[in-house]
Amino acid sequence: MGLRPLRLGDVRVWRETRLRNADWLRPWEPSNPETPLFRTGLGPYISMVGTLRREARQGLALPWVMTYNGRFAGQLTVGAIVWGSARSAQVGYWIDGAVAGNGVTPTALAMAVDHCFFTTGLHRLEANIRPENQASRRVVEKLGFREEGIRRRQLHIDGAWRDHICYALTVEDVPGGLLVQWRRARESAAHGGSSVEEV
């Protein structure tokens, strides 16, 4: 499991994965004309990558690919980065349903959190998740993100304005790094400790 930068060369595998997972992703996807699920052309992907790369150069985004066994498994993006006195950002992710349940998403998110806090210098990360999205909520909850309340009609998702639960972490919450905490929790579960459900 790992993270690497999103590349223009990922276009075909990204598109194939999105099309194959259209029903799996539709209830949670922003209604965004730049990244539609069903367009047949490659233009929307190229436009999205161009935008994300430009934002990355400006220090406003960190677009990554999640990998599993060295293969494309989904996307994780830290975006809406605010510097100055806030030093905060929002994280979003999606995973190929074929590899869900193997711990890919929480591992990748833990790696991203550590990079944001200890390399990039951010102080706070938020994940805003629809209340109905139990799988995504489990990811952040088992990593220790705290629930901070409802954001009413925050994003246009699947054709309507939807409420989201705000989850957050600050650097003070993970002094030794989140990936270390996550690996310890998984090891504990594997040796008879409390169960860790994989997403």
Side-chain angles (χ1 to χ4, degrees):
M1 292 173 245
L3 281 177
R4 66 164 174 79
L6 181 65
R7 304 176 188 136
L8 276 174
D10 293 318
V11 61
R12 296 199 187 283
V13 68
W14 183 91
R15 181 177 171 273
E16 182 278 324
T17 305
R18 302 272 301 178
L19 287 171
R20 185 168 34 81
N21 284 273
D23 291 337
W24 161 267
L25 297 172
R26 184 180 296 109
W28 324 119
E29 285 292 309
S31 306
N32 183 342
E34 289 185 25
T35 57
L37 288 171
F38 301 109
R39 287 243 185 114
T40 56
L42 303 179
Y45 176 83
I46 293 167
S47 174
M48 177 196 67
V49 172
T51 298
L52 287 172
R53 289 172 87 177
R54 191 167 40 256
E55 290 178 357
R57 284 191 301 273
Q58 296 168 349
L60 303 176
L62 295 166
W64 284 306
V65 163
M66 294 187 284
T67 61
Y68 182 65
N69 291 333
R71 295 184 178 169
F72 185 100
Q75 186 176 342
L76 187 152
T77 301
V78 177
I81 296 175
V82 177
W83 293 102
S85 58
R87 290 189 171 262
S88 65
Q90 295 184 21
V91 63
Y93 46 83
W94 62 268
I95 184 84
D96 183 342
V99 299
N102 290 295
V104 176
T105 306
T107 301
L109 181 54
M111 293 169 71
V113 167
D114 286 353
H115 180 83
C116 288
F117 287 164
F118 304 116
T119 301
T120 305
L122 295 178
H123 177 255
R124 175 184 167 89
L125 285 177
E126 290 184 7
N128 295 292
I129 301 168
R130 286 189 59 189
E132 304 86 354
N133 191 344
Q134 293 298 325
S136 192
R137 291 177 64 188
R138 279 195 310 272
V139 169
V140 294
E141 288 168 354
K142 64 189 165 189
L143 289 175
F145 280 69
R146 74 186 149 273
E147 185 177 326
E148 294 191 338
I150 296 283
R151 295 198 167 171
R152 300 289 177 200
R153 295 173 291 283
Q154 183 192 20
L155 287 174
H156 200 264
I157 304 281
D158 194 26
W161 291 102
R162 310 287 185 175
D163 294 348
H164 283 67
I165 299 173
C166 177
Y167 290 89
L169 268 183
T170 62
V171 69
E172 293 88 355
D173 297 321
V174 290
L178 186 55
L179 186 59
V180 169
Q181 288 181 15
W182 168 238
R183 285 184 172 152
R184 278 192 202 129
R186 291 185 78 189
E187 287 170 12
S188 175
H191 293 95
S194 60
S195 76
V196 176
E197 195 172 339
E198 304 292 358
V199 176

